[in-house]
Amino acid sequence: MTESARSASVPAPPLTDTAHAILDAAFAEVLAHGIRRTSISDIARRCGIARQTLYRYWPDAQAVFAALVTRELVAALPAETAAPRSLTELAATLVGTADRIRRMPLIVRLRDTDPELLSRYLLDRLGTSQYVVHAELARLVAGGQSAGFVRPGEPTRLAAMLLLITQSAVVSAPLVDEWLDDSDWADELGSALSGYLRPDPS
Amino acid sequence: MTESARSASVPAPPLTDTAHAILDAAFAEVLAHGIRRTSISDIARRCGIARQTLYRYWPDAQAVFAALVTRELVAALPAETAAPRSLTELAATLVGTADRIRRMPLIVRLRDTDPELLSRYLLDRLGTSQYVVHAELARLVAGGQSAGFVRPGEPTRLAAMLLLITQSAVVSAPLVDEWLDDSDWADELGSALSGYLRPDPS
């Protein structure tokens, strides 16, 4: 999620300490007041820097929030070191990640107070972190195909459907909780992801 | 989609001819101008009735739009007469329906000009037509279980995950079209739905 689709192909440089401190301040402000009520001045004040300093990093509050969501979501992704060795392990990794993202205070806050920002990334265009998630999914699909536990098919194509399934489960889970409690949610998402990736039984 | 979740358990009475005429007028106004720019007066004028007459049917424009989306979506659902006889047929029915809904001019228009209305039904609460779709999915799941081509499990629970997968594919398809063109979209959605419902291979 976050930032323009066009910038996604150009990886952002690593954040400096000041940039991280600005995002930390923005995070605290958003959790306390929501995105709509958080201004550049609020963030600069909490960070203890001048507004002009902040503008050297991001042009407006929207860009700060975008970078914040990207930082938080990317941090929630699984480490690249642990390659799943079976479809069961792969599905468990994906469900665990989706569950972590679903419970992230920033995501909960966005759902509750700033749904129009979240919905932009469901209805309008992908953001940077969705591109990162898609690339990570494609990498896991390709790894599973090499190991023989994922069916053949263009990894970017399979990853696109995995992204659609998983992000819907993450953002819309509360809407179906009368039928899917938290434990069912994890079980059924796992069934959906492994059922989709399983090599053809015929 | 549409209307309050609380009203979903009470089926609406069949629409009268005047009610249908009002919704037809609302449909024409929305396609021409979008939801935000369409008022009760616009709808009444196009319908050739007094505003006071319209208020006897619905309390405000929002309620008219909700009833309109419900009418159009429910009309897009498959006829109950054709019970699928295999998992392949069931998946084809679901993909065909999703594809019809995705191309409905009203849905395209909502996506393009009124995403905040659409997003309410993804992030906030289910609407009447989502309850109708869920009940229809549960009925198809139960039928497939009786016939032996759908895995066991509470039909309402399986239907909830089918709803999450399908509505994401419907509303977010344009976001992933660089990896999933229209034909891939149908193939991969079919794989996702049948993979999810297929009896356990082990």
Side-chain angles (χ1 to χ4, degrees):
Chain A
M1 227 162 278
T2 78
E3 293 169 10
S4 105
R6 276 142 298 281
S7 72
S9 49
V10 186
L15 297 172
T16 65
D17 288 350
T18 305
H20 271 299
I22 292 168
L23 296 186
D24 291 343
F27 198 175
E29 286 293 320
V30 168
L31 290 188
H33 309 297
I35 277 191
R36 248 175 311 188
R37 293 210 188 160
T38 297
S39 68
I40 278 282
S41 304
D42 299 327
I43 299 169
R45 190 178 316 116
R46 189 181 279 255
C47 193
I49 60 173
R51 266 196 319 173
Q52 292 313 317
T53 309
L54 201 158
Y55 285 130
R56 268 186 256 139
Y57 292 82
W58 288 286
D60 52 35
Q62 209 59 28
V64 177
F65 300 138
L68 173 60
V69 175
T70 299
R71 185 186 73 167
E72 297 301 308
L73 277 184
V74 169
L77 298 183
E80 286 208 15
T81 44
R85 287 158 304 178
S86 67
L87 185 54
T88 308
E89 272 191 27
L90 172 55
T93 298
L94 298 179
V95 171
T97 305
D99 193 47
R100 264 200 315 281
I101 292 175
R102 179 188 160 192
R103 293 169 198 289
M104 281 170 52
L106 185 63
I107 296 295
V108 172
R109 184 79 197 176
L110 284 175
R111 269 189 55 90
D112 291 350
T113 65
D114 302 281
E116 66 289 347
L117 183 78
L118 208 50
S119 74
R120 202 176 310 157
Y121 301 106
L122 302 174
L123 297 175
D124 186 16
R125 59 174 181 74
L126 295 183
T128 302
S129 63
Q130 282 161 302
Y131 277 98
V132 171
V133 168
H134 177 267
E136 176 65 11
L137 288 168
R139 196 184 64 77
L140 288 166
V141 165
Q145 288 172 333
S146 299
F149 61 78
V150 167
R151 70 180 166 86
E154 176 56 38
T156 56
R157 202 169 71 205
L158 273 62
M161 185 55 66
L162 291 177
L163 179 67
L164 291 181
I165 296 171
T166 310
Q167 76 182 13
S168 180
V170 165
V171 302
S172 298
L175 278 69
V176 296
D177 61 4
E178 66 187 280
W179 304 299
L180 278 181
D181 66 22
D182 283 6
S183 141
D184 290 340
W185 178 88
D187 288 349
E188 299 306 325
L189 178 57
S191 295
L193 298 173
S194 56
Y196 176 62
L197 294 174
R198 184 171 289 123
D200 196 338
S202 64
Chain B
M1 223 161 280
T2 78
E3 292 169 11
S4 105
R6 277 142 298 280
S7 72
S9 49
V10 186
L15 297 172
T16 64
D17 288 351
T18 306
H20 270 301
I22 293 168
L23 296 186
D24 291 343
F27 198 175
E29 286 293 320
V30 168
L31 290 189
H33 309 297
I35 277 191
R36 249 175 312 187
R37 294 211 187 158
T38 297
S39 68
I40 279 281
S41 304
D42 298 327
I43 299 169
R45 191 177 315 115
R46 190 181 279 253
C47 193
I49 60 173
R51 264 195 320 170
Q52 292 314 316
T53 309
L54 199 159
Y55 284 129
R56 270 186 254 139
Y57 291 84
W58 288 285
D60 52 34
Q62 209 58 29
V64 177
F65 300 139
L68 172 63
V69 175
T70 299
R71 184 186 74 168
E72 296 302 307
L73 277 185
V74 169
L77 298 183
E80 287 208 14
T81 45
R85 288 158 302 177
S86 67
L87 185 54
T88 307
E89 272 190 28
L90 172 54
T93 298
L94 298 179
V95 171
T97 305
D99 193 46
R100 265 200 312 283
I101 292 175
R102 180 187 161 193
R103 293 170 199 287
M104 282 170 52
L106 185 63
I107 295 294
V108 171
R109 184 78 197 178
L110 283 175
R111 271 188 54 90
D112 289 350
T113 64
D114 302 281
E116 67 287 349
L117 183 78
L118 208 50
S119 73
R120 202 178 308 158
Y121 301 106
L122 301 175
L123 297 175
D124 185 15
R125 59 175 179 74
L126 297 182
T128 301
S129 63
Q130 282 161 303
Y131 277 99
V132 171
V133 168
H134 177 266
E136 176 66 11
L137 288 168
R139 196 183 65 75
L140 289 166
V141 165
Q145 289 172 333
S146 299
F149 60 77
V150 168
R151 69 181 167 86
E154 174 56 39
T156 57
R157 201 170 71 205
L158 273 62
M161 185 56 65
L162 292 177
L163 180 66
L164 291 181
I165 295 170
T166 311
Q167 76 183 12
S168 181
V170 165
V171 301
S172 298
L175 278 71
V176 296
D177 62 3
E178 67 188 278
W179 305 298
L180 279 182
D181 65 22
D182 283 5
S183 143
D184 289 340
W185 178 91
D187 288 349
E188 298 306 325
L189 178 58
S191 296
L193 298 173
S194 56
Y196 176 61
L197 294 174
R198 182 171 289 125
D200 196 340
S202 64

